[in-house]
Amino acid sequence: MKPARTKTPRKLLVKKGSQTSLKDPVGVYCRVRPLSLPDQECCIEVINNTTVQLHTPEGYRLNRNGDYKETQYSFKQVFGIHTTQKELFDVVANPLVDDLIHGKNGLLFTYGVTGSGKTHTMTGSPGEGGLLPRCLDMIFNSIGSFQAKRYVFKSNDRNSMDIQCEVDALLERQKREAMPNPKTPSSKRQIDPEFADMINVQEFCKAEEVDEDSVYGVFVSYIEIYNNYIYDLLEEVPFDPIKPKPPQSKLLREDKNHNMYVAGCTEVEVKSTEEAFEVFWRGQKKRRIANTHLNRESSRSHSVFNIKLVQAPLDADGDNVLQEKEQITISQLSLVDLAGSERTNRTKAEGNRLREAGNINQSLMTLRTCMEVLRENQMYGTNKMVPYRDSKLTHLFKNYFDGEGKVRMIVCVNPKAEDYEESLQVMRFAEVTQEVEVARPVDKAICGLTPGRRYRNQARGGPVGDEPLVTEVVLQSFPPLPSCELLDINDEQTLPRLIEALEKRHYLRQMMIEEFHKQSITFKALLQEFDSAVLNKENYIQGKLNEKEKVITGQKLEIERLEKKNKTLEYKIEILEKTTTIYEEDKRTLQQELETQNQKLQRQFSDKRRLEARLQGMVTETTMKWEKECERRVAAKQLEMQNKLWVKDEKLKQLKAIVTEPKAEKPERPSRERDREKVTQRAVSPSPVPNAPPIRLRHRRSRSAGDRWVDHKPASNVQTETVMQPHVPHAITVSVANEKALAKCEKYMLTHQELASDGEIETKLIKGDVFKTRGGGQSVQFTDIETLKQESPTGRKRRSPTAAPAPPDGTESEWTDVETRCSVAVEMRAGSQLGPGYQHHAQPKRKKP
């Protein structure tokens, strides 16, 4: 609780005022100046009292390939070329002056390109006073009769004010008047005719509801920001003809309320519009202006004219200023005339002028950046740092954008076509500025004294106006004295008349003394009654105060108890927050560990599934390999046994022939060449028969021959002459798939032919399962594909019987089985993870054992 007390009440109120419901957007107004020449091309048109339209000039369109673009911009109010200074003041500046008199701050600045009429709008011209003299006139019209005597308020170097009593103020005035060259202007001096027409405001303007129980003091200061340095235009520098001193720049500082101010800046107390404008004109002569290509008197710096209004309440009697510094209310109105933004290629600036233009554009760019960041923070809820410190201009007025007062901007534009691009940038900046919201200034605190003290004291006090004094009334009531001149020694009438008049006066005097005594007695009685009444009231008030003090004491005790309880609860909350933080960290750690373990288990599970699938494939592959190897070995063994059996049969036949027919010729064994010419089937028969019937073609049995199939063979297929042909028993052969055939079967096979890369015909058997659907139809899910391919045996190595005759016993001759020479069967399994797997079913060449 203690740190909160160290903060100033003003800052706390600013934080409360920063809520969205208590914010107002920056008021942006537009003023269009008339063209210098009537035949100039115009690029800006006023649509209504809130909208202007920019259109592309002719020359600009020629340089941009004839593009014509019209853009409209909206403002709080638009002032056309026929707007008077009075109309502009009533709308823009009048509310700011009214807030100033009621203790609120305000900022008004003019913005635009060089030659757009900013200085004319702010200062005015002879016969047409600008906003500045009109603001001064309204201030002094409102507080003229309530101003404090000079030097009752005294400024210090901490951006605040001190109060002096009447005696100290009188001594200060005498001291200043005795100086040879007083700095303070006098209201008795004659007005300078150079600016007399500017401050001659015909329209009377006054603020409403001015606090009559306060006294006011007006202080003005005038600074300029040149090349990002601050200079005091009212500072009196002693002239040294030998070695003239350059003006010293001033520093920005922050007061105890965190408001920015210029340290060491001259503040002059003024008592009238004429005095204030004389001070302004004195500083205006020191302001830096130069002749550029665009403007004969172009401002080369930003000028800031501050009007500080100091307000303090009267005491309970309504006679003197309340000597309490805490009751002083200080409000400030800053009138800023910004230097014009310009492009150096148009101003033809060189040297110092070029450096000045660069600093001017840099400070204006910083102002635009600050507005953009403020808008982004307010619109999107971000908390970006606003770069106020990048420029002295934005750093000086950062408090206004943080909620220290109202902000108003007048955008001055020149409608001529040459300023189109600069005017477009000015309009975009104005569009951004309108979206920035500033907190409303808070109302000043009430001092708590009885209102109407000033006029009550005048009514209770002595003479008011031209009423005669009491002594004058008394002297007039006495009879006039007769002539006392004695012209004759025997004159006996003059002295008796004089004696009679004096006696009458003495009698009247005695009567008046008696009346005075009576009235004094009556007045004493009234005073005693009044004293007793006052004493009774004081006793009554004291009793009430004692009761209130008891209540306050009880409330303080209750507050202390609640503060202790609050501290205990805050301590408990802090402990709970720390415990919650620890638990949350543990929870996050455990969640991370759990996620890590889950990921690890997932990886292990996926690795296990891949390993299982791989092992399954390896087992299946090995099983098929060994099954084929066993079949090959059995077939080889059978062939070997058949050959042996045939040899034995031949021997037995020969033996029988020898026994039965001794002269018969020995039968010849059929040669290998004849065996190759005849395509024989591997059979279990003991020996080949020469005159055997033709061997039937061998059909390759499908692995799913137990089910009923739909054999779909398109009519476009070509009949192949391979030994191995697909054969499915109990199959329904169709050329076009139909629902009737599918309803009777459980399996489906499509025979598809295509031309392979080597020019041979490749036959694919696409197989699938038939399922019944909910709608009563059938659907086919394909499961695997078998491929039958025919290859040319020209590349194989063959031995002719003539080149290598068979050995006599015929047991070691080479042979090639029919499957190896005639066809190769390839099967592709669907769903394999390793891609299409090919199984070779042909028998390799093998020597006979």
Side-chain angles (χ1 to χ4, degrees):
M1 301 296 291
K2 289 182 180 179
R5 292 175 184 172
T6 60
K7 294 183 180 179
T8 59
R10 191 173 191 179
K11 203 65 182 176
L12 289 174
L13 290 171
V14 168
K15 290 183 179 179
K16 291 180 181 178
S18 62
Q19 300 174 0
T20 306
S21 59
L22 299 177
K23 285 187 176 182
D24 294 320
V26 176
V28 181
Y29 303 85
C30 179
R31 186 179 193 184
V32 183
R33 67 161 289 175
L35 291 171
S36 303
L37 300 174
D39 57 346
Q40 277 186 315
E41 184 182 0
C42 180
C43 66
I44 298 177
E45 180 184 357
V46 178
I47 302 299
N48 50 43
N49 60 348
T50 59
T51 309
V52 297
Q53 178 174 288
L54 268 73
H55 54 80
T56 312
E58 292 292 338
Y60 189 87
R61 290 202 297 271
L62 293 176
N63 294 332
R64 298 296 187 274
N65 299 324
D67 293 338
Y68 186 81
K69 185 178 180 181
E70 291 182 349
T71 312
Q72 290 188 356
Y73 295 93
S74 297
F75 297 88
K76 194 168 184 180
Q77 188 165 339
V78 176
F79 300 95
I81 59 176
H82 301 294
T83 303
T84 62
Q85 300 278 46
K86 174 68 168 55
E87 294 171 355
L88 182 67
F89 170 78
D90 290 341
V91 176
V92 181
N94 191 312
L96 295 179
V97 177
D98 190 74
D99 286 345
L100 176 73
I101 294 172
H102 292 88
K104 299 176 184 178
N105 298 331
L107 171 64
L108 174 62
F109 60 97
T110 55
Y111 182 84
V113 301
T114 299
S116 58
K118 301 183 298 299
T119 305
H120 173 76
T121 299
M122 186 63 69
T123 308
S125 58
E128 293 184 0
L131 298 180
L132 190 148
R134 291 177 184 274
C135 290
L136 293 171
D137 189 65
M138 179 176 175
I139 291 171
F140 288 107
N141 288 341
S142 303
I143 65 167
S145 58
F146 307 132
Q147 292 190 69
K149 294 183 179 179
R150 203 183 296 271
Y151 304 119
V152 169
F153 297 111
K154 188 176 181 181
S155 63
N156 53 34
D157 294 334
R158 298 181 299 277
N159 199 30
S160 60
M161 288 286 171
D162 298 327
I163 302 180
Q164 297 188 126
C165 63
E166 292 286 345
V167 177
D168 293 338
L170 178 61
L171 293 175
E172 183 79 16
R173 285 196 299 273
Q174 293 176 353
K175 179 181 176 182
R176 295 295 180 96
E177 289 173 359
M179 294 175 64
N181 294 319
K183 292 183 182 179
T184 305
S186 174
S187 58
K188 298 179 181 179
R189 295 171 59 182
Q190 189 176 1
I191 302 175
D192 190 346
E194 190 175 2
F195 59 83
D197 290 342
M198 293 187 185
I199 61 175
N200 186 17
V201 180
Q202 300 295 331
E203 302 86 358
F204 182 81
C205 189
K206 181 180 177 181
E208 300 293 335
E209 299 180 0
V210 181
D211 187 4
E212 299 171 345
D213 294 317
S214 299
V215 292
Y216 300 86
V218 181
F219 293 80
V220 296
S221 60
Y222 196 19
I223 63 171
E224 72 168 351
I225 302 174
Y226 176 72
N227 286 341
N228 209 26
Y229 289 99
I230 299 176
Y231 297 98
D232 184 4
L233 296 177
L234 302 181
E235 186 177 19
E236 296 292 340
V237 180
F239 178 70
D240 188 355
I242 300 174
K243 190 177 180 181
K245 268 188 176 184
Q248 297 295 319
S249 62
K250 303 296 181 180
L251 298 177
L252 282 178
R253 297 195 185 279
E254 193 175 49
D255 63 8
K256 62 180 182 180
N257 294 325
H258 306 287
N259 294 323
M260 303 306 301
Y261 70 98
V262 180
C265 180
T266 305
E267 289 184 338
V268 181
E269 185 177 8
V270 291
K271 293 298 179 182
S272 65
T273 305
E274 293 78 9
E275 289 184 36
F277 202 82
E278 183 183 352
V279 173
F280 165 76
W281 199 255
R282 191 173 71 213
Q284 185 75 358
K285 292 180 179 179
K286 297 182 182 179
R287 190 181 176 190
R288 290 171 174 85
I289 60 173
N291 185 6
T292 66
H293 188 70
L294 297 181
N295 192 356
R296 187 171 57 86
E297 293 183 357
S298 175
S299 302
R300 312 310 297 166
S301 63
H302 309 300
S303 68
V304 182
F305 188 75
N306 288 319
I307 305 173
K308 187 177 290 186
L309 183 67
V310 187
Q311 178 180 356
L314 294 172
D315 56 11
D317 295 333
D319 294 331
N320 301 312
V321 182
L322 190 65
Q323 297 292 315
E324 293 183 11
K325 188 176 179 181
E326 293 78 13
Q327 296 294 335
I328 296 178
T329 302
I330 301 175
S331 54
Q332 180 172 296
L333 175 60
S334 297
L335 303 175
V336 184
D337 182 13
L338 296 177
S341 60
E342 56 192 18
R343 288 185 299 167
T344 55
N345 60 350
R346 290 191 61 206
T347 58
K348 304 295 188 291
E350 296 178 355
N352 290 335
R353 299 288 87 80
L354 182 62
R355 187 162 63 92
E356 291 168 358
N359 287 312
I360 291 170
N361 293 336
Q362 181 63 36
S363 61
L364 295 177
M365 184 59 67
T366 304
L367 177 62
R368 179 170 185 170
T369 304
C370 293
M371 293 296 179
E372 290 176 349
V373 175
L374 281 171
R375 182 188 66 165
E376 184 176 350
N377 289 342
Q378 293 171 4
M379 291 181 66
Y380 304 110
T382 57
N383 195 19
K384 291 185 178 180
M385 186 183 71
V386 184
Y388 291 122
R389 294 178 178 267
D390 291 354
S391 172
K392 293 291 177 61
L393 177 68
T394 54
H395 194 193
L396 178 61
F397 298 115
K398 82 178 192 66
N399 302 105
Y400 288 96
F401 297 105
D402 289 341
E404 290 293 338
K406 288 184 179 179
V407 181
R408 296 288 183 266
M409 181 176 76
I410 301 176
V411 175
C412 298
V413 292
N414 193 338
K416 65 179 181 179
E418 290 81 359
D419 288 348
Y420 171 74
E421 288 191 359
E422 288 85 351
S423 300
L424 192 63
Q425 297 299 324
V426 169
M427 293 296 180
R428 290 172 181 170
F429 171 67
E431 191 174 33
V432 172
T433 306
Q434 287 185 104
E435 298 177 359
V436 176
E437 293 182 342
V438 178
R440 292 181 185 174
V442 296
D443 295 328
K444 66 175 182 178
I446 301 174
C447 65
L449 296 175
T450 307
R453 301 184 298 280
R454 181 190 296 269
Y455 291 113
R456 190 185 305 113
N457 178 57
Q458 291 181 1
R460 185 177 64 248
V464 178
D466 296 331
E467 294 183 5
L469 297 176
V470 177
T471 55
E472 294 178 358
V473 175
V474 172
L475 291 174
Q476 289 176 5
S477 64
F478 285 161
L481 292 175
S483 177
C484 300
E485 185 179 1
L486 296 175
L487 300 176
D488 190 4
I489 193 171
N490 297 319
D491 189 359
E492 295 179 355
Q493 296 181 358
T494 303
L495 290 175
R497 285 199 296 268
L498 180 60
I499 293 170
E500 183 180 1
L502 291 174
E503 287 178 351
K504 288 182 179 178
R505 288 197 171 199
H506 179 70
Y507 176 73
L508 290 173
R509 180 172 175 273
Q510 291 296 330
M511 289 181 61
M512 291 177 67
I513 289 172
E514 291 176 0
E515 184 69 21
F516 176 74
H517 283 304
K518 290 179 182 179
Q519 290 184 359
S520 62
I521 293 170
T522 306
F523 185 69
K524 285 180 181 178
L526 292 174
L527 281 178
Q528 290 175 355
E529 290 178 3
F530 182 74
D531 288 340
S532 61
V534 169
L535 185 61
N536 293 334
K537 287 184 179 180
E538 286 180 354
N539 294 332
Y540 175 75
I541 291 172
Q542 189 65 33
K544 289 290 184 182
L545 286 175
N546 293 334
E547 293 178 1
K548 295 293 183 182
E549 285 179 356
K550 291 179 181 179
V551 174
I552 291 171
T553 305
Q555 291 179 351
K556 285 182 179 179
L557 294 174
E558 181 68 16
I559 288 172
E560 290 178 358
R561 187 185 67 80
L562 292 175
E563 285 180 353
K564 291 179 181 178
K565 186 176 179 181
N566 188 23
K567 288 181 180 178
T568 306
L569 293 175
E570 286 179 353
Y571 179 71
K572 290 182 180 179
I573 289 171
E574 186 178 356
I575 293 175
L576 290 174
E577 286 178 350
K578 290 181 179 178
T579 308
T580 305
T581 305
I582 294 171
Y583 285 156
E584 287 179 352
E585 290 178 356
D586 294 341
K587 180 182 176 183
R588 284 196 296 269
T589 305
L590 292 174
Q591 284 181 348
Q592 291 176 358
E593 292 179 358
L594 181 62
E595 290 177 358
T596 306
Q597 294 295 333
N598 286 336
Q599 293 175 0
K600 187 175 180 182
L601 288 174
Q602 196 71 20
R603 287 197 298 271
Q604 290 178 355
F605 182 67
S606 60
D607 293 342
K608 182 180 178 182
R609 284 190 299 179
R610 284 199 299 272
L611 185 60
E612 288 178 354
R614 186 175 178 184
L615 290 175
Q616 185 82 18
M618 291 174 65
V619 168
T620 305
E621 184 178 357
T622 307
T623 302
M624 294 179 65
K625 179 178 179 182
W626 282 107
E627 285 179 356
K628 292 178 181 179
E629 182 67 19
C630 290
E631 290 177 359
R632 186 188 63 76
R633 291 184 180 182
V634 169
K637 199 66 177 178
Q638 287 178 354
L639 185 59
E640 181 184 357
M641 297 302 293
Q642 287 176 5
N643 289 333
K644 287 181 179 180
L645 187 59
W646 180 76
V647 171
K648 288 181 181 180
D649 287 343
E650 287 293 327
K651 287 181 180 180
L652 288 176
K653 286 180 182 180
Q654 290 176 5
L655 185 59
K656 184 178 179 181
I658 291 171
V659 174
T660 56
E661 298 177 3
K663 294 182 180 180
E665 294 182 358
K666 184 178 180 180
E668 294 181 1
R669 181 181 177 181
S671 65
R672 267 299 194 197
E673 191 66 29
R674 289 197 301 272
D675 292 340
R676 287 194 181 95
E677 291 175 359
K678 296 180 181 180
V679 181
T680 59
Q681 181 183 5
R682 286 164 157 184
V684 192
S685 59
S687 63
V689 181
N691 297 323
I695 299 171
R696 189 167 66 92
L697 294 175
R698 182 177 180 181
H699 293 277
R700 185 173 183 273
R701 181 181 176 86
S702 174
R703 290 186 298 172
S704 303
D707 299 324
R708 193 162 188 189
W709 289 74
V710 175
D711 189 2
H712 182 188
K713 294 183 178 181
S716 60
N717 285 358
V718 179
Q719 185 67 31
T720 59
E721 296 180 355
T722 57
V723 174
M724 300 183 69
Q725 292 286 339
H727 176 67
V728 181
H730 308 294
I732 300 176
T733 304
V734 295
S735 61
V736 178
N738 55 69
E739 186 178 354
K740 184 176 180 181
L742 291 173
K744 297 179 181 179
C745 301
E746 296 83 14
K747 300 288 184 176
Y748 173 82
M749 181 176 69
L750 171 64
T751 304
H752 173 68
Q753 289 182 343
E754 62 183 11
L755 195 63
S757 60
D758 55 358
E760 299 291 342
I761 295 177
E762 184 178 74
T763 304
K764 291 185 179 180
L765 305 179
I766 304 172
K767 298 188 291 182
D769 297 331
V770 180
F771 296 98
K772 291 185 178 181
T773 60
R774 268 186 200 176
Q778 286 78 27
S779 65
V780 178
Q781 182 179 0
F782 295 103
T783 56
D784 61 350
I785 301 173
E786 293 184 4
T787 304
L788 301 178
K789 186 176 179 183
Q790 188 173 3
E791 293 182 356
S792 174
T794 55
R796 296 182 182 274
K797 202 169 187 182
R798 304 172 61 180
R799 294 176 61 182
S800 62
T802 57
D809 57 357
T811 58
E812 297 295 329
S813 64
E814 245 181 79
W815 63 278
T816 305
D817 74 309
V818 177
E819 288 181 5
T820 303
R821 288 187 296 122
C822 297
S823 69
V824 175
V826 180
E827 177 181 358
M828 181 178 72
R829 278 184 168 76
S832 175
Q833 294 180 356
L834 304 175
Y838 296 95
Q839 302 291 333
H840 194 280
H841 296 284
Q843 298 291 339
K845 291 183 181 179
R846 185 179 178 88
K847 290 184 180 181
K848 293 175 68 178

